[in-house]
Amino acid sequence: GFTPVDGSSIAEPYLRDVNDRLRAYEAWTRLLDAFVFLDPLQNEFVIDWRVEAEERMKQGGKSGMSRDEVEAYVRKFLPAYDLYLPGLRRAPPEVKAALRIQVAQDRLPIEKI
């Protein structure tokens, strides 16, 4: 559901390329009949969620990253969340049915918007 923003508002150089590529997704987004958006109360929650997933993979005998590696990896993406989530919250894709659910750190819904 992310959509391009004005390029002058982008501080991180790598996000300029991402922003340009988002235009191609607009055609796909127009094909959606419904849109469900799980919206974390804090973007930082995704770090712990990814750490938990890595720990489960390691417990299952697969390789996985350490907490420090996960945090370094996920932090690369947080500027995109900061840049694009406000627009998604203001104007989700225009579809027949849309649902935004805010989730807490425990991944449980807080409220339906």
Side-chain angles (χ1 to χ4, degrees):
F2 289 165
T3 56
V5 298
D6 175 21
S8 65
S9 67
I10 301 174
E12 291 80 8
Y14 74 93
L15 284 177
R16 291 187 188 112
D17 182 50
V18 169
N19 197 60
D20 291 339
R21 292 175 186 267
L22 282 175
R23 286 178 178 73
Y25 284 90
E26 290 174 335
W28 179 82
T29 302
R30 285 193 294 271
L31 299 174
L32 297 176
D33 292 325
F35 186 78
V36 176
F37 171 33
L38 300 176
D39 185 6
L41 274 180
Q42 295 178 23
N43 294 342
E44 298 281 325
F45 292 167
V46 298
I47 294 171
D48 290 331
W49 296 342
R50 187 69 242 161
V51 167
E52 289 173 10
E54 293 291 324
E55 291 301 317
R56 279 194 304 275
M57 287 187 334
K58 289 191 278 189
Q59 289 170 358
K62 298 179 183 175
S63 62
M65 294 184 278
S66 70
R67 178 172 185 83
D68 289 342
E69 291 170 325
V70 170
E71 187 163 344
Y73 178 75
V74 173
R75 286 206 177 278
K76 294 176 187 178
F77 297 96
L78 289 181
Y81 282 72
D82 295 336
L83 184 63
Y84 296 112
L85 274 176
L88 179 58
R89 289 174 178 141
R90 268 191 319 277
E94 292 186 26
V95 294
K96 296 173 190 164
L99 177 63
R100 175 179 162 217
I101 302 171
Q102 286 190 308
V103 292
Q105 190 166 10
D106 61 6
R107 294 187 185 90
L108 294 176
I110 293 174
E111 64 180 302
K112 181 173 62 170
I113 303 171

